[in-house]
């Protein structure tokens, strides 16, 4: 197709990234321009396909994500040409892309969908693992299978999933906040969820005696393999279901939460022993463990003064967009979160270069009830809409913002509860100018509506509340609900009757 030194292959449209954003973008372009070849360049050997797509309501959507060989995509869309090689450089003024295998490609319009990678604390420390793609999830599972205790740092989606799923291994969960799950929940919702975490801990606590580590013994153990530099796509829904997330112990779940703290330092075993011997200020005893009984491969020192020994650390502390190969020599505007800034047409600050999914930072003036979160729903919506914008620009047509950006809407599962979050579900950016309405039945459902000037601007629905469509409509139509007062959440009143 294109050889080093040979003529560069040309295509009207090129997309970089075989994750949900890139594949959706390429598919949409392939449908809009059936007689054009679409280049899809990706560093990963497999691509992500959205299957069983279901529009649950106006803005809520559910789908499965499948990892597939790229040949399946090419079979479905014969005009998509998958180029399996990482992009190492972009020369946007020449409209050229250079891949790791020494080839070059010329495009007219390009969409960058290279995703993101875990933003690790103490990056480079071999005992700190991140979870992003199939390889890193498997590395995590392999290490967990030999572990008795791990420390999970972070309080977002990944940490919430992990602390609930891990069995047979003690989990020390270190969070900066005063409640769990700060990216999705406020303290009230966290309070509702906590019993689920501790209940299962009580059900099956057949605790075993901890085997004693010796320095020699621990050296024999396989060391954790931290996330490699390989750039796979982010995992899909229920990614942990196929994995056996089990440590070496016989008990079911055992989670200890350390709130309002961060990791101050990480000490390897030898260094820890040395510090204990020589430093006057270093704590003489490891907290939580009988001194000298156990030696752990690594020790985590928290800012609250506590120290926990463990087998390894999971850093579930957010992501950083994969922008590096594209920045050099190109004048991209980059957001505070490190993403490529895109306008309301998914266009970056560089001519003919668009971006979608985790790599981008939405820099347009959003609807008052939409915000960006790096989620696969948004990756799909952005990839699809970016392709529409590329098509419209090519054909000289105008295009309106897609409806999916009107309202932030996400449906997921935490602690085995269905969770729906809508609009400014945590009163993000509203300051004190809002009121909360709550309804909670322990162990069953938690309903929170965020109200501003008598109008609903956000909601959290945990459990089978069946309220998502009604609330979605109420947020979208911004009806004045002051007259309904507390009845809005009264379970004996069918509020749908009011508004239908
Ligand atoms: C463990 C985990 C659980 C998650 N759970 C949920 C969830 O429950 N719900 C939800 O909505 N979201 C969830 N997410 C987030 C969601 O997976 C991502 O937001 C989404 O998949 C991002 O898609 P993307 O296409 O932008 O990026 P990615 O999936 O990261 O894809 C990027 C692609 O670009 C390729 N690439 C990277 N660099 C280059 C390069 N230089 N050259 C060529 N190709 C390159 C990669 O190989 C990959 O194919 C989860 C994420 C993780 C890690
Ligand atoms: N069910 C879902 O919807 C899920 C979504 N995801 C998505 O996948 C991506 C990655 O997930 P996460 O890594 O959980 O990111 P996240 O952005 O959801 O959460 C990061 C967490 O780390 C904390 N943090 C950041 N820096 C820290 C530090 N130095 N020390 C301690 N804590 C720190 C933050 O306060 C936050 O709680 C996110 O975009 C997330 O939205 C992940 C899993 C499940």
């Amino acid at each position: 197709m294109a050889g080093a030194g040979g003529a560069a292959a040309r295509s009207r449209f090129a997309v970089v990234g075989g994750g949900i954003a890139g594949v959706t973008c390429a598919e949409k372009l392939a449908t809009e321009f059936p007689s054009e070849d679409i280049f899809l360049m990706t560093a990963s050997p497999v691509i992500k396909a959205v299957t069983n797509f279901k529009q649950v309501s106006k803005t809520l959507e559910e789908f499965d994500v499948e990892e597939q060989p790229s040949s399946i995509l090419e079979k479905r869309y014969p005009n998509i040409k998958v180029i399996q090689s990482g992009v190492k450089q972009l020369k946007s003024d020449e409209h050229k892309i250079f891949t790791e295998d020494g080839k070059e490609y010329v495009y007219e319009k390009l969409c960058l969908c290279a995703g993101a990678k875990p933003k690790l604390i103490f990056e480079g420390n071999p005992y700190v693992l991140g979870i992003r793609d199939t390889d890193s999830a498997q590395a995590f599972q392999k290490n967990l299978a030999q572990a008795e205790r791990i420390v999970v740092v972070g309080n977002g989606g990944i940490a919430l999933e992990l602390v609930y799923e891990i069995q047979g291994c003690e989990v020390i969960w270190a969070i900066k906040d005063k409640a769990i799950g700060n990216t999705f929940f406020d303290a009230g919702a966290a309070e509702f969820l906590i019993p689920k975490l501790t209940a299962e801990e009580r059900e099956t606590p057949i605790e075993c005696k901890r085997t004693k580590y010796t320095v020699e013994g621990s050296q024999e153990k396989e060391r954790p393999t931290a996330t490699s530099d390989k750039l796979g796509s982010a995992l899909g829904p229920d990614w942990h279901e196929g994995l056996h997330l089990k440590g070496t112990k016989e008990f079911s779940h055992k989670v200890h939460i350390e709130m309002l703290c961060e990791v101050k330092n990480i000490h390897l075993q030898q260094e820890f022993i040395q510090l204990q011997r020589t430093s006057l200020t270093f704590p003489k005893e490891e907290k939580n463990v009988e001194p000298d009984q156990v030696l752990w491969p690594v020790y985590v020192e928290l800012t609250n003064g506590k120290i926990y020994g463990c087998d390894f650390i999971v850093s579930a502390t957010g992501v950083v967009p994969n922008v590096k190969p594209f920045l050099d020599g190109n004048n991209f505007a980059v957001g505070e979160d490190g993403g490529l800034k895109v306008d309301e047409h998914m266009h970056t600050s560089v001519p003919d270069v668009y971006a979608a999914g985790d790599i981008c930072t939405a820099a347009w003036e959003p609807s008052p009830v939409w915000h960006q979160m790096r989620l696969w729903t948004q990756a799909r919506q952005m990839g699809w809409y970016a392709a529409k914008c590329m098509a419209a620009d090519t054909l000289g047509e105008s295009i309106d913002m897609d409806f999916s950006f009107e309202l932030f809407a996400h449906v997921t599962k935490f602690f085995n509860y269905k969770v729906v979050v809508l609009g400014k579900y945590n009163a993000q950016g509203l300051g004190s100018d809002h009121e909360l309405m709550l309804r909670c039945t322990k162990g069953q459902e938690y309903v929170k509506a965020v109200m501003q000037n008598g109008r609903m601007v956000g909601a959290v629905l945990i459990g089978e509340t069946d309220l998502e469509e009604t609330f979605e409509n109420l947020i979208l139509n911004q009806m004045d609900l002051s007259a309904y007062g507390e009845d809005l959440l009264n379970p004996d009143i069918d509020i749908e009757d009011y508004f239908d």
Side-chain angles (χ1 to χ4, degrees), residues 149-453:
R149 188 201 288 163
I150 65 168
V151 173
V152 174
V153 184
N155 198 12
I158 294 182
L160 273 172
E161 292 189 331
L162 282 184
V163 297
Y164 184 74
E165 296 295 334
I166 289 172
Q167 296 187 25
C169 178
E170 195 181 344
V171 176
I172 309 295
W173 187 12
I175 61 177
K176 287 198 290 190
D177 323 280
K178 61 178 190 307
I180 65 164
N182 74 324
T183 55
F184 289 95
F185 306 117
D186 60 8
E191 199 65 25
F192 171 83
L193 290 170
I194 282 271
K196 194 78 178 222
L197 197 59
T198 44
E200 273 162 345
E201 184 186 315
R202 264 183 255 127
E203 276 161 25
T204 39
I206 327 155
E207 210 171 326
C208 278
K209 253 188 149 297
R210 188 182 292 115
T211 47
K212 193 172 165 172
Y213 272 125
T214 61
V215 178
E216 291 76 19
S218 64
Q219 279 167 347
E220 273 162 28
K221 273 187 131 189
E222 208 173 318
R223 280 175 124 216
T225 34
T227 322
S228 72
D229 282 341
K230 277 209 270 164
L231 295 162
S233 313
L235 291 155
D238 301 326
W239 59 276
H240 40 73
E241 253 164 37
L243 291 171
H244 193 52
L245 295 186
K246 196 170 178 319
T248 56
K249 302 286 208 132
E250 288 309 314
F251 57 73
S252 172
H253 302 273
K254 193 170 184 187
V255 182
H256 171 80
I257 308 174
E258 283 290 342
M259 297 203 188
L260 294 166
C261 66
E262 289 184 52
V263 176
K264 186 172 167 195
N265 223 328
I266 295 175
H267 307 284
L268 300 186
Q269 189 186 79
Q270 285 301 337
E271 193 185 314
F272 174 75
I273 297 168
Q274 192 71 16
L275 277 166
Q276 279 196 316
R277 278 202 208 114
T278 54
S279 167
L280 292 175
T281 50
F282 195 75
K284 285 288 166 252
E285 283 178 10
E286 181 204 358
K287 299 276 159 61
N288 195 51
V289 176
E290 316 83 79
D292 298 327
Q293 288 236 321
V294 182
L295 274 178
W296 296 93
V298 65
Y299 290 81
V300 176
E301 186 183 354
L302 300 176
T303 47
N304 63 9
K306 294 190 185 172
I307 295 178
Y308 286 97
C310 62
D311 290 292
F312 64 93
I313 300 121
V314 179
S315 177
T317 38
V319 298
V320 270
N322 285 326
V323 294
K324 207 160 160 257
F326 313 109
L327 293 186
D328 196 24
N330 303 301
N331 198 15
F332 281 109
V334 174
E336 267 175 34
D337 58 7
L340 303 178
K341 280 191 178 181
V342 288
D343 64 15
E344 68 277 17
H345 290 144
M346 307 308 293
H347 202 277
T348 66
S349 54
V350 169
D352 297 319
V353 183
Y354 301 72
D358 279 10
I359 194 175
C360 79
T361 299
W364 65 83
E365 188 56 47
S367 134
V369 285
W370 186 87
H371 59 274
Q372 183 182 12
M373 256 178 102
R374 292 189 162 87
L375 297 167
W376 52 63
T377 33
Q378 293 197 357
R380 196 202 66 79
Q381 290 159 351
M382 286 178 170
W384 191 90
Y385 176 58
K388 291 278 287 178
C389 293
M390 291 163 87
D393 286 351
T394 303
L395 303 170
E397 294 169 354
S398 68
I399 185 167
D400 288 333
M401 189 93 211
D402 191 72
F403 187 74
S404 51
F405 301 101
E406 281 297 306
L407 172 66
F408 174 86
H410 183 51
V411 53
T412 184
K413 212 194 235 181
F414 286 120
F415 294 13
N416 221 17
Y417 285 111
K418 177 177 174 182
V419 173
V420 176
V421 279
L422 296 170
K424 299 287 174 191
Y425 60 88
N426 262 345
Q428 295 94 328
L430 301 184
S432 56
D433 180 23
H434 68 276
E435 278 174 56
L436 300 182
M437 291 174 82
L438 290 175
R439 173 173 114 195
C440 178
T441 312
K442 230 176 155 189
Q444 203 179 322
E445 61 159 27
Y446 176 90
V447 176
K448 177 180 85 174
V450 183
M451 310 294 293
Q452 192 178 41
N453 303 325

